């Protein structure tokens, strides 16, 4: 049946209630003792719900007022269409007619939205299977469906509802949705602009009349929320360029009669462009006026910029917070001189009362244990509030990599103006990673690396990882686990186990193998909040399985030191991390230095390395990043660096666009006759990329929001330039190719996906050699650089 007017229903309901109330007067003139209570007409409602709502029980004294109260209470349950009370020989008989229940909710013509999303939306307004059916709620459901479509610029949508009664006092509800076409923005006008062209101002808006990416960004679809955001963007554009008195006078949104086109007109008044003539500090600055003045971002002689004012206010509040003043108030008052088109800014400071932190609360962690988060805090409870320590604590929690978002809320303590509570809110993300890396080249075809890792095992903060490499030349696995807080003082402990097999680049160049097995334990000692020194001791054994065409470099090592060749490497390293985020940093620095010294065993050598990363926020949306890494190795005790310890580079995490581990010259290993190249200059023993004794890499990267992603830092695109080389020196057993610098440029996409940070890169060589192994497309699940 079709939905219609409800006026008759409400009149009938009113008459029903009125007649019931009038009948009460005839039920009994005097009170009596209730012998029994009977309920008739129930089908699906639990009798206990009815008995529990009655104001009387068997054995109670009954009065007409109680009968009225009973009807009112039962109607209040919302389960019945009709309720009446009758009296039969001191027995109360309650007759009810239940409201029907919804058996099913179905849709037809639903394309713009997922069915489950709409069902959840309807449930929020009271329309769902097994709930009581109410025609008034159905009208509300229709309005809600239409509202959702209007938010997506589908103004021609029509919703037709069909109600079908079925057995057992139930009904089926069916919504037929006629979505119609999308109303696109055909005209977008900005009236009143003088200082800037209309085209320049339209570039500041997220709404437009359509571009080549509109199919993805939906930028040509009108919504009130988007328009409000664009008006704020216009306001910000003017206020950062001196127009202190800018205002939006009005906006007009017109929809064509065909409901397929939208016209938007924005009327604005620019006002005067003001230049800052001076900055004055007024109020209580704790006797540190010079220190506060050094933090002022506003520069006299420049146009007024609201971002500089906001930044200065924020710096002042943070600096007050470093001294325990959590609720300092900074008012930036512009003193305007319209005649001279100038403005003087007065920053009035009131630090208010110094406070200490009473309690720190953790919210939002479902898996991660509280202690894992609390041990990263440098701000202590029952200590003076320190803004610097709080910011550091927040960044340390974020750098764990366990959370999508980390925020700190300040809560005043009622009745205690000198106390404050901190609430650290986190939003957890999956910390189990199924990593996958792949590359394609003409020679190696498809190469794959894969792994599985859990960075937060059972919420303890411990990590466990297993990695597998199926490359044509290098195959192996590694297993590692780390306890970042092996002791309460923050000493970390790691165990590593690895196995790797290396074979010649081309099968026709021999069938010899290099098998390397290693195990190690490492301890990390935190010397400061950001500095950690690592110490490690390991054992490794490399077995060279001789076969056809074994190069002299390997044969010489076997002859001199035997096979397997063992080593006991001692590791010493240092790292310092001040980045604001582990997964998507926008500001800060990361440094790492390490050395490996093997003094005992057959393989005796030393390697050293240093890595430096810096992130600069150009704007709120754009970040520039620089990374460099240098490494070197040499043999000790009169021995050369073992060839299986040569350094390698290339691929994601190094110079993108080159096959993983193949950066640098083609290193040819001399065969048993001493030859290493044929008549054409190709390696007799294949293009064996054994690496070199030193390497250097530099990466430059500019990241920006992905179109349509807004300020979401989990989805970014980037452009890059990479350069580097692996240096190799000729020896009697090794012939090195060109050590010339290699470089590539390209672009890519980074996404913090549910399975980990995913990075895809497309590269083009800037400087390369004919023998280089290139991979135009590469992807990897892991952090940047």
């Amino acid at each position: 049946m079709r939905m219609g007017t409800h006026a008759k229903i409400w009149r009938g309901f009113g008459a029903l209630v009125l007649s019931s109330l009038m009948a009460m007067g005839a039920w009994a003139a005097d009170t009596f003792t209730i012998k029994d209570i009977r309920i008739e007409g129930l089908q699906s409602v639990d009798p206990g719900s009815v008995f529990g709502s009655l104001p009387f029980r068997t054995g109670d004294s009954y009065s007409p007022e109680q009968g009225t109260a009973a009807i009112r209470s039962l109607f209040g349950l919302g389960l019945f269409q009709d309720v009446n009370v009758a009296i039969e020989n001191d027995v109360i008989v309650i007759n009810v007619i239940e409201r029907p229940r919804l058996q099913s909710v179905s849709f037809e013509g639903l394309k713009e939205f997922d069915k489950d999303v709409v069902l959840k939306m309807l449930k929020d307004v009271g329309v769902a299977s097994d709930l009581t059916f109410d025609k008034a709620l159905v009208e509300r459901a229709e309005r809600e469906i239409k509202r959702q479509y209007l938010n997506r610029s589908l103004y021609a949508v029509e919703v037709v509802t069909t109600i079908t009664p079925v057995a057992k006092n139930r009904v089926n509800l069916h919504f037929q949705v006629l979505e119609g076409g999308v109303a696109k923005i055909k005209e977008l006008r900005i009236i009143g602009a003088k200082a800037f062209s209309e085209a320049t101002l339209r570039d500041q808006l997220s709404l437009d009349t359509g571009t080549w990416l509109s199919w993805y960004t939906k930028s040509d679809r009108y919504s009130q929320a988007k328009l409000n955001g664009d008006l704020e963007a216009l306001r910000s554009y003017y206020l950062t360029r001196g127009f202190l008195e800018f205002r939006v006078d009005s906006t007009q949104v017109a929809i064509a009669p065909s409901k397929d086109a939208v016209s938007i007109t924005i009327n604005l008044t620019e006002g005067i462009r003001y230049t800052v003539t001076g900055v004055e500090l007024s109020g209580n600055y704790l006797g540190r006026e010079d220190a506060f003045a050094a933090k002022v971002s506003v520069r006299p002689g420049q146009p007024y910029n609201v971002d500089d004012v906001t930044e200065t206010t924020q710096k002042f509040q943070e600096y007050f917070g470093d001294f325990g003043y959590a609720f300092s108030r900074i008012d930036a008052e512009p003193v305007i001189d319209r005649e001279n088109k100038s403005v003087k800014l007065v920053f009035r400071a009131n630090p208010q009362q110094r406070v200490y932190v009473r309690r720190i609360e953790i919210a939002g962690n479902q898996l991660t244990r509280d202690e894992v988060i609390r041990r990263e805090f440098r701000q202590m409870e029952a200590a003076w509030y320190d803004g610097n320590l709080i910011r550091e604590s927040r960044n340390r929690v974020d750098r764990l990599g366990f959370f999508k978002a980390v925020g700190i809320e300040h809560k005043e303590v009622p009745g205690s103006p000198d106390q404050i509570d901190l609430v650290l809110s986190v939003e957890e993300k999956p910390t189990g990673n199924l990593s996958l890396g792949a590359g394609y080249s003409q020679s190696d075809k498809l190469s794959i690396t894969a792994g599985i890792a859990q960075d937060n095992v059972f919420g303890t903060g411990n990590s466990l990882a297993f990695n597998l490499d199926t490359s044509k030349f290098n195959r192996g696995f590694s297993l590692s686990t780390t306890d970042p807080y092996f002791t309460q003082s923050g000493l970390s402990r790691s165990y590593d186990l690895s196995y790797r097999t290396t074979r010649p680049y081309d099968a026709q160049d021999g069938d010899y193998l290099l098998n390397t097995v290693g195990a190690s334990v490492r301890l990390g000692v935190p010397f400061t909040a950001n500095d950690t020194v690592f110490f490690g001791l390991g054992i490794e054994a490399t077995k060279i399985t001789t076969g056809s065409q074994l190069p002299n470099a390997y044969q010489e090592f076997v002859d001199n030191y035997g096979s397997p060749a063992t080593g006991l490497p001692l590791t010493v390293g240092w790292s310092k991390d001040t980045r604001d985020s582990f997964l998507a940093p926008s500001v800060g620095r990361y440094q790492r230095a390490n050395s490996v010294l093997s003094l005992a065993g057959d393989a005796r050598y030393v390697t050293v390395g240093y890595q430096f990363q810096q992130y600069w926020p150009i704007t709120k949306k754009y970040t520039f990043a620089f990374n460099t890494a240098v490494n070197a190795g040499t043999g000790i005790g009169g021995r050369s660096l073992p060839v299986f310890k040569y350094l390698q580079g290339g691929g994601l995490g190094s110079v993108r666009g080159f096959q993983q581990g193949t950066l640098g010259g083609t290193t040819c290993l001399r065969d048993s006759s001493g030859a290493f190249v044929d008549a054409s200059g190709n390696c007799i023993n294949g293009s064996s990329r054994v690496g070199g004794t030193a390497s250097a890499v530099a990466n430059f990267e500019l990241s920006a929001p992905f179109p349509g992603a807004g300020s979401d830092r989990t989805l970014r695109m980037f452009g890059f330039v990479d350069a580097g080389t692996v240096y190799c020196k000729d020896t009697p057993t090794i012939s090195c190719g060109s050590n010339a610098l290699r470089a590539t440029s390209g672009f890519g996409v980074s996404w913090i996906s549910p399975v980990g940070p995913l990075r895809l890169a497309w590269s083009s060589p800037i400087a390369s050699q004919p023998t280089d192994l290139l991979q135009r497309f590469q992807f990897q699940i892991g952090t940047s650089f």
Side-chain angles (χ1 to χ4, degrees), residues 574 590-594 608-612 628-631:
W574 162 81
Y590 173 75
Q591 298 179 79
R592 178 178 61 87
N594 68 287
V608 294
Y610 174 72
Q611 182 181 16
F612 175 88
T628 185
V630 291
N631 297 275

PDB file of all heavy atoms in Angstrom, residues 574 590-594 608-612 628-631:
ATOM      1  N   TRP A 574      74.576   4.580  16.507  1.00  0.00           N
ATOM      2  CA  TRP A 574      73.922   5.712  17.190  1.00  0.00           C
ATOM      3  C   TRP A 574      72.813   6.231  16.293  1.00  0.00           C
ATOM      4  O   TRP A 574      72.940   6.251  15.063  1.00  0.00           O
ATOM      5  CB  TRP A 574      74.938   6.814  17.462  1.00  0.00           C
ATOM      6  CG  TRP A 574      74.324   8.161  17.753  1.00  0.00           C
ATOM      7  CD1 TRP A 574      73.811   8.599  18.928  1.00  0.00           C
ATOM      8  CD2 TRP A 574      74.175   9.244  16.820  1.00  0.00           C
ATOM      9  NE1 TRP A 574      73.345   9.889  18.807  1.00  0.00           N
ATOM     10  CE2 TRP A 574      73.549  10.314  17.522  1.00  0.00           C
ATOM     11  CE3 TRP A 574      74.487   9.422  15.472  1.00  0.00           C
ATOM     12  CZ2 TRP A 574      73.247  11.526  16.914  1.00  0.00           C
ATOM     13  CZ3 TRP A 574      74.185  10.636  14.867  1.00  0.00           C
ATOM     14  CH2 TRP A 574      73.574  11.665  15.589  1.00  0.00           C
ATOM     15  N   TYR A 590      66.327  13.042  11.235  1.00  0.00           N
ATOM     16  CA  TYR A 590      66.711  11.700  11.650  1.00  0.00           C
ATOM     17  C   TYR A 590      68.158  11.468  11.245  1.00  0.00           C
ATOM     18  O   TYR A 590      68.557  11.739  10.107  1.00  0.00           O
ATOM     19  CB  TYR A 590      65.809  10.649  10.999  1.00  0.00           C
ATOM     20  CG  TYR A 590      66.263   9.223  11.245  1.00  0.00           C
ATOM     21  CD1 TYR A 590      66.069   8.629  12.493  1.00  0.00           C
ATOM     22  CD2 TYR A 590      66.897   8.491  10.258  1.00  0.00           C
ATOM     23  CE1 TYR A 590      66.485   7.328  12.738  1.00  0.00           C
ATOM     24  CE2 TYR A 590      67.317   7.190  10.488  1.00  0.00           C
ATOM     25  CZ  TYR A 590      67.107   6.615  11.725  1.00  0.00           C
ATOM     26  OH  TYR A 590      67.532   5.334  11.968  1.00  0.00           O
ATOM     27  N   GLN A 591      68.962  10.968  12.189  1.00  0.00           N
ATOM     28  CA  GLN A 591      70.361  10.668  11.912  1.00  0.00           C
ATOM     29  C   GLN A 591      70.692   9.279  12.452  1.00  0.00           C
ATOM     30  O   GLN A 591      70.174   8.864  13.485  1.00  0.00           O
ATOM     31  CB  GLN A 591      71.287  11.683  12.582  1.00  0.00           C
ATOM     32  CG  GLN A 591      71.098  13.111  12.107  1.00  0.00           C
ATOM     33  CD  GLN A 591      72.020  14.060  12.826  1.00  0.00           C
ATOM     34  OE1 GLN A 591      73.195  14.165  12.503  1.00  0.00           O
ATOM     35  NE2 GLN A 591      71.484  14.756  13.820  1.00  0.00           N
ATOM     36  N   ARG A 592      71.572   8.613  11.734  1.00  0.00           N
ATOM     37  CA  ARG A 592      71.984   7.281  12.167  1.00  0.00           C
ATOM     38  C   ARG A 592      73.419   7.043  11.726  1.00  0.00           C
ATOM     39  O   ARG A 592      73.785   7.313  10.574  1.00  0.00           O
ATOM     40  CB  ARG A 592      71.075   6.217  11.554  1.00  0.00           C
ATOM     41  CG  ARG A 592      71.461   4.782  11.919  1.00  0.00           C
ATOM     42  CD  ARG A 592      70.475   3.794  11.311  1.00  0.00           C
ATOM     43  NE  ARG A 592      70.466   3.874   9.855  1.00  0.00           N
ATOM     44  CZ  ARG A 592      71.295   3.196   9.068  1.00  0.00           C
ATOM     45  NH1 ARG A 592      72.209   2.404   9.593  1.00  0.00           N
ATOM     46  NH2 ARG A 592      71.218   3.309   7.753  1.00  0.00           N
ATOM     47  N   ALA A 593      74.257   6.572  12.644  1.00  0.00           N
ATOM     48  CA  ALA A 593      75.629   6.187  12.342  1.00  0.00           C
ATOM     49  C   ALA A 593      75.852   4.779  12.873  1.00  0.00           C
ATOM     50  O   ALA A 593      75.336   4.428  13.940  1.00  0.00           O
ATOM     51  CB  ALA A 593      76.620   7.154  12.972  1.00  0.00           C
ATOM     52  N   ASN A 594      76.591   3.977  12.131  1.00  0.00           N
ATOM     53  CA  ASN A 594      76.815   2.610  12.574  1.00  0.00           C
ATOM     54  C   ASN A 594      78.166   2.112  12.082  1.00  0.00           C
ATOM     55  O   ASN A 594      78.702   2.594  11.064  1.00  0.00           O
ATOM     56  CB  ASN A 594      75.710   1.676  12.090  1.00  0.00           C
ATOM     57  CG  ASN A 594      75.734   1.496  10.584  1.00  0.00           C
ATOM     58  OD1 ASN A 594      75.358   2.399   9.839  1.00  0.00           O
ATOM     59  ND2 ASN A 594      76.178   0.335  10.121  1.00  0.00           N
ATOM     60  N   VAL A 608      81.596   1.104   8.015  1.00  0.00           N
ATOM     61  CA  VAL A 608      81.030   2.266   8.697  1.00  0.00           C
ATOM     62  C   VAL A 608      79.982   2.890   7.786  1.00  0.00           C
ATOM     63  O   VAL A 608      80.043   2.762   6.554  1.00  0.00           O
ATOM     64  CB  VAL A 608      82.105   3.317   9.061  1.00  0.00           C
ATOM     65  CG1 VAL A 608      83.074   2.759  10.086  1.00  0.00           C
ATOM     66  CG2 VAL A 608      82.848   3.771   7.805  1.00  0.00           C
ATOM     67  N   GLY A 609      79.006   3.550   8.401  1.00  0.00           N
ATOM     68  CA  GLY A 609      77.958   4.195   7.613  1.00  0.00           C
ATOM     69  C   GLY A 609      77.315   5.334   8.368  1.00  0.00           C
ATOM     70  O   GLY A 609      77.341   5.383   9.607  1.00  0.00           O
ATOM     71  N   TYR A 610      76.751   6.262   7.612  1.00  0.00           N
ATOM     72  CA  TYR A 610      76.059   7.403   8.213  1.00  0.00           C
ATOM     73  C   TYR A 610      74.883   7.778   7.323  1.00  0.00           C
ATOM     74  O   TYR A 610      74.999   7.809   6.089  1.00  0.00           O
ATOM     75  CB  TYR A 610      76.991   8.607   8.344  1.00  0.00           C
ATOM     76  CG  TYR A 610      76.297   9.866   8.829  1.00  0.00           C
ATOM     77  CD1 TYR A 610      75.877   9.979  10.156  1.00  0.00           C
ATOM     78  CD2 TYR A 610      76.037  10.920   7.956  1.00  0.00           C
ATOM     79  CE1 TYR A 610      75.241  11.127  10.602  1.00  0.00           C
ATOM     80  CE2 TYR A 610      75.398  12.068   8.399  1.00  0.00           C
ATOM     81  CZ  TYR A 610      74.997  12.165   9.727  1.00  0.00           C
ATOM     82  OH  TYR A 610      74.356  13.295  10.159  1.00  0.00           O
ATOM     83  N   GLN A 611      73.721   8.036   7.951  1.00  0.00           N
ATOM     84  CA  GLN A 611      72.516   8.456   7.224  1.00  0.00           C
ATOM     85  C   GLN A 611      71.961   9.714   7.867  1.00  0.00           C
ATOM     86  O   GLN A 611      71.950   9.858   9.086  1.00  0.00           O
ATOM     87  CB  GLN A 611      71.448   7.354   7.248  1.00  0.00           C
ATOM     88  CG  GLN A 611      70.189   7.711   6.462  1.00  0.00           C
ATOM     89  CD  GLN A 611      69.138   6.615   6.510  1.00  0.00           C
ATOM     90  OE1 GLN A 611      69.197   5.722   7.343  1.00  0.00           O
ATOM     91  NE2 GLN A 611      68.169   6.676   5.616  1.00  0.00           N
ATOM     92  N   PHE A 612      71.482  10.610   7.013  1.00  0.00           N
ATOM     93  CA  PHE A 612      70.928  11.884   7.488  1.00  0.00           C
ATOM     94  C   PHE A 612      69.646  12.166   6.716  1.00  0.00           C
ATOM     95  O   PHE A 612      69.613  12.083   5.485  1.00  0.00           O
ATOM     96  CB  PHE A 612      71.929  13.016   7.265  1.00  0.00           C
ATOM     97  CG  PHE A 612      71.396  14.381   7.609  1.00  0.00           C
ATOM     98  CD1 PHE A 612      71.511  14.879   8.896  1.00  0.00           C
ATOM     99  CD2 PHE A 612      70.775  15.174   6.649  1.00  0.00           C
ATOM    100  CE1 PHE A 612      71.025  16.134   9.224  1.00  0.00           C
ATOM    101  CE2 PHE A 612      70.284  16.426   6.961  1.00  0.00           C
ATOM    102  CZ  PHE A 612      70.403  16.910   8.253  1.00  0.00           C
ATOM    103  N   THR A 628      70.402  11.458   2.750  1.00  0.00           N
ATOM    104  CA  THR A 628      71.692  11.047   2.216  1.00  0.00           C
ATOM    105  C   THR A 628      72.244   9.927   3.071  1.00  0.00           C
ATOM    106  O   THR A 628      71.992   9.871   4.288  1.00  0.00           O
ATOM    107  CB  THR A 628      72.689  12.220   2.159  1.00  0.00           C
ATOM    108  OG1 THR A 628      73.894  11.784   1.525  1.00  0.00           O
ATOM    109  CG2 THR A 628      73.015  12.725   3.562  1.00  0.00           C
ATOM    110  N   ALA A 629      72.982   9.033   2.452  1.00  0.00           N
ATOM    111  CA  ALA A 629      73.591   7.916   3.164  1.00  0.00           C
ATOM    112  C   ALA A 629      74.933   7.602   2.516  1.00  0.00           C
ATOM    113  O   ALA A 629      75.036   7.523   1.281  1.00  0.00           O
ATOM    114  CB  ALA A 629      72.688   6.686   3.138  1.00  0.00           C
ATOM    115  N   VAL A 630      75.964   7.462   3.345  1.00  0.00           N
ATOM    116  CA  VAL A 630      77.298   7.092   2.859  1.00  0.00           C
ATOM    117  C   VAL A 630      77.770   5.885   3.669  1.00  0.00           C
ATOM    118  O   VAL A 630      77.543   5.799   4.879  1.00  0.00           O
ATOM    119  CB  VAL A 630      78.297   8.256   2.993  1.00  0.00           C
ATOM    120  CG1 VAL A 630      77.950   9.367   2.031  1.00  0.00           C
ATOM    121  CG2 VAL A 630      78.343   8.783   4.416  1.00  0.00           C
ATOM    122  N   ASN A 631      78.431   4.945   3.000  1.00  0.00           N
ATOM    123  CA  ASN A 631      78.920   3.733   3.645  1.00  0.00           C
ATOM    124  C   ASN A 631      80.263   3.349   3.038  1.00  0.00           C
ATOM    125  O   ASN A 631      80.534   3.641   1.860  1.00  0.00           O
ATOM    126  CB  ASN A 631      77.931   2.576   3.460  1.00  0.00           C
ATOM    127  CG  ASN A 631      76.596   2.833   4.116  1.00  0.00           C
ATOM    128  OD1 ASN A 631      76.413   2.581   5.301  1.00  0.00           O
ATOM    129  ND2 ASN A 631      75.638   3.346   3.343  1.00  0.00           N
TER     130      ASN A 631
END
